[in-house]
Amino acid sequence: MSPQIEIQLIAVVVAVACALPGVFLVLRRMAMLSDAISHAILLGIVLAFFITQDLSSPFLVLAATLTGVLTVTMVEMLNRTRLVKEDTAIGLVFPLLFSIGVILIARYAGKVHLDTDAVLLGELAFAPFDRLVLFGVDIGPKALYVMGGILALNLLFIVLFFKELKLATFDAQLAASLGFAPGVIHYSLMTLVSVTAVGAFEAVGSILVVALVIGPPATAYLLVDSVLGMLLLSSGVGLLAAISGYWSAHLFDVSIAGSMATMVGIIFFLTLLLAPQRGLIALARRRKKQQIDFSLEMLLVHLLNHEGMPEEEQECRIAHLPDHLHWEGQLIERVIKKGEREKLLQRAGAFLKLTEKGRKKAESSLTR
């Protein structure tokens, strides 16, 4: 298998593994916890390295995972004091743990391959050079097997506890009353996020971990309503960002991890703009339509109120409406045309008249 294909496979596996737990973080409005975890685990990696003096030791993964869980616990303990809110607690805890890790690297680990640039950005291009050899046989990049195992673990957890995860995400109190132990589910999910962040850390760095955990689920959230749909779509978005990011980096000769993070951002903002139901363009169109619909209803009521009255000739004159209703001329013209299309009113020279259908609609509006 060529290094190009291996890098893309690792990128796809990392992206999907990060997106799956990220769906529940986004739904729980805890997206920034992934940022805190992905940075704070550095301290666990550094401390474990000082003990083992081996960058490939599994104790680094264990220590980093425990640090991630410690981060979540410290954030929640601060939040429960009610003296600081959750976002403030995150802003206090993770810079503290991360900065201690950075200081320890700079002070005591300057001669080993554990520099801050690699920590922040990672280097996916180097992943194929770290091979997994069993019984003298090279079976592929180690990162592919590590992240493949983490992806399988995430999938297994979500499949086995899908119902419990959904219930604890949307109504933790109901989950507790039904005996589902939402606290255990919560910390299990946070442990999975920590393990995923640790696994992806070396390949893509802490910044891209955050992008892949949050970006694809946030994109899927704009397009679908079901949790299952979000899981599938966020995996697809992660795959698309991984492949397009790799080829963008290849084309412009830039960082692969940085290109993947950029593609995640581009896909999200395009979706934010163009999503059929929740996109900004769709939202603007819906608001415009609601304004026209509401204005037409007001006009029908206005015409009904003055129908058959002595002032009807004055109040129902088209030229009088801008002053009386305080509408712009273009808005009045659009409202009248919509009323004519729906056969709710009709022009009678310089005046407007209700049709029978328009009269019933105006009466219905008054009695609602």
Side-chain angles (χ1 to χ4, degrees):
M1 192 183 298
S2 71
Q4 278 193 339
I5 294 177
E6 288 179 348
I7 292 171
Q8 290 177 76
L9 274 176
I10 295 169
V12 169
V13 172
V14 169
V16 176
C18 289
L20 292 177
V23 166
F24 295 97
L25 290 182
V26 169
L27 290 175
R28 289 165 174 246
R29 302 179 188 275
M30 302 172 72
M32 289 311 296
L33 263 182
S34 65
D35 189 28
I37 291 172
S38 64
H39 284 78
I41 57 176
L42 175 64
L43 178 59
I45 292 174
V46 174
L47 291 176
F49 170 74
F50 287 159
I51 296 171
T52 63
Q53 295 294 311
D54 181 6
L55 278 174
S56 60
S57 170
F59 286 108
L60 270 67
V61 176
L62 178 62
T65 303
L66 292 176
T67 310
V69 176
L70 173 67
T71 305
V72 176
T73 306
M74 290 176 67
V75 168
E76 293 190 346
M77 287 176 65
L78 274 177
N79 190 32
R80 284 176 187 169
T81 64
R82 300 185 184 278
L83 297 175
V84 293
K85 293 188 176 180
E86 184 173 272
D87 57 342
T88 309
I90 291 172
L92 290 168
V93 171
F94 100 73
L96 171 66
L97 299 181
F98 181 67
S99 59
I100 293 174
V102 170
I103 291 170
L104 289 176
I105 289 177
R107 184 68 180 83
Y108 300 108
K111 295 180 179 179
V112 298
H113 178 61
L114 196 59
D115 56 89
T116 51
D117 288 341
V119 165
L120 291 173
L121 302 175
E123 188 45 83
L124 204 52
F126 293 157
F129 294 107
D130 190 8
R131 315 295 294 183
L132 182 63
V133 179
L134 290 179
F135 307 108
V137 179
D138 180 352
I139 59 173
K142 189 184 293 182
L144 183 60
Y145 288 95
V146 171
M147 288 311 301
I150 292 174
L151 172 60
L153 180 66
N154 288 346
L155 275 173
L156 184 66
F157 179 76
I158 291 172
V159 169
L160 290 179
F161 300 103
F162 186 63
K163 181 175 63 178
E164 290 82 355
L165 275 169
K166 278 202 306 181
L167 193 56
T169 296
F170 294 110
D171 195 336
Q173 290 184 344
L174 178 59
S177 66
L178 295 175
F180 283 138
V184 175
I185 295 170
H186 172 70
Y187 281 101
S188 300
L189 177 64
M190 292 303 121
T191 303
L192 269 188
V193 173
S194 298
V195 170
T196 306
V198 173
F201 194 79
E202 186 175 355
V204 298
S206 62
I207 292 177
L208 185 55
V209 168
V210 178
L212 293 178
V213 169
I214 303 306
T219 304
Y221 183 77
L222 295 172
L223 295 170
V224 294
D225 293 322
S226 70
V227 177
L228 182 59
M230 277 189 70
L231 288 168
L232 294 174
L233 190 56
S234 59
S235 299
V237 171
L239 186 151
L240 177 63
I243 299 297
S244 59
Y246 171 80
W247 285 106
S248 298
H250 185 75
L251 181 64
F252 297 108
D253 191 20
V254 294
S255 161
I256 298 173
S259 295
M260 287 172 61
T262 303
M263 292 309 301
V264 169
I266 290 174
I267 293 171
F268 172 77
F269 281 107
L270 284 176
T271 306
L272 179 67
L273 193 64
L274 303 173
Q277 297 297 325
R278 296 171 183 160
L280 294 179
I281 293 177
L283 190 61
R285 285 179 176 171
R286 192 156 56 245
R287 284 177 177 166
K288 195 71 178 174
K289 181 179 181 302
Q290 288 172 344
Q291 182 192 22
I292 297 293
D293 290 345
F294 181 71
S295 299
L296 176 59
E297 199 166 325
M298 284 185 62
L299 179 59
L300 296 177
V301 171
H302 173 79
L303 296 176
L304 180 67
N305 282 340
H306 298 289
E307 191 173 49
M309 303 297 287
E311 71 275 11
E312 180 181 8
E313 184 174 338
Q314 173 67 16
E315 295 293 340
C316 298
R317 182 188 294 274
I318 296 175
H320 172 72
L321 294 176
D323 292 333
H324 187 81
L325 297 175
H326 304 291
W327 292 351
E328 295 179 355
Q330 289 183 342
L331 174 61
I332 289 177
E333 192 58 33
R334 284 198 292 270
V335 171
I336 292 173
K337 285 183 178 178
K338 181 175 175 64
E340 290 177 322
R341 283 198 302 273
E342 296 183 5
K343 301 187 185 308
L344 296 172
L345 54 82
Q346 58 190 10
R347 296 175 198 257
F351 303 96
L352 291 177
K353 295 285 187 185
L354 287 172
T355 63
E356 188 58 32
K357 182 181 175 183
R359 192 171 294 107
K360 289 181 179 177
K361 184 173 179 61
E363 290 171 348
S364 172
S365 299
L366 286 173
T367 56
R368 260 204 316 249

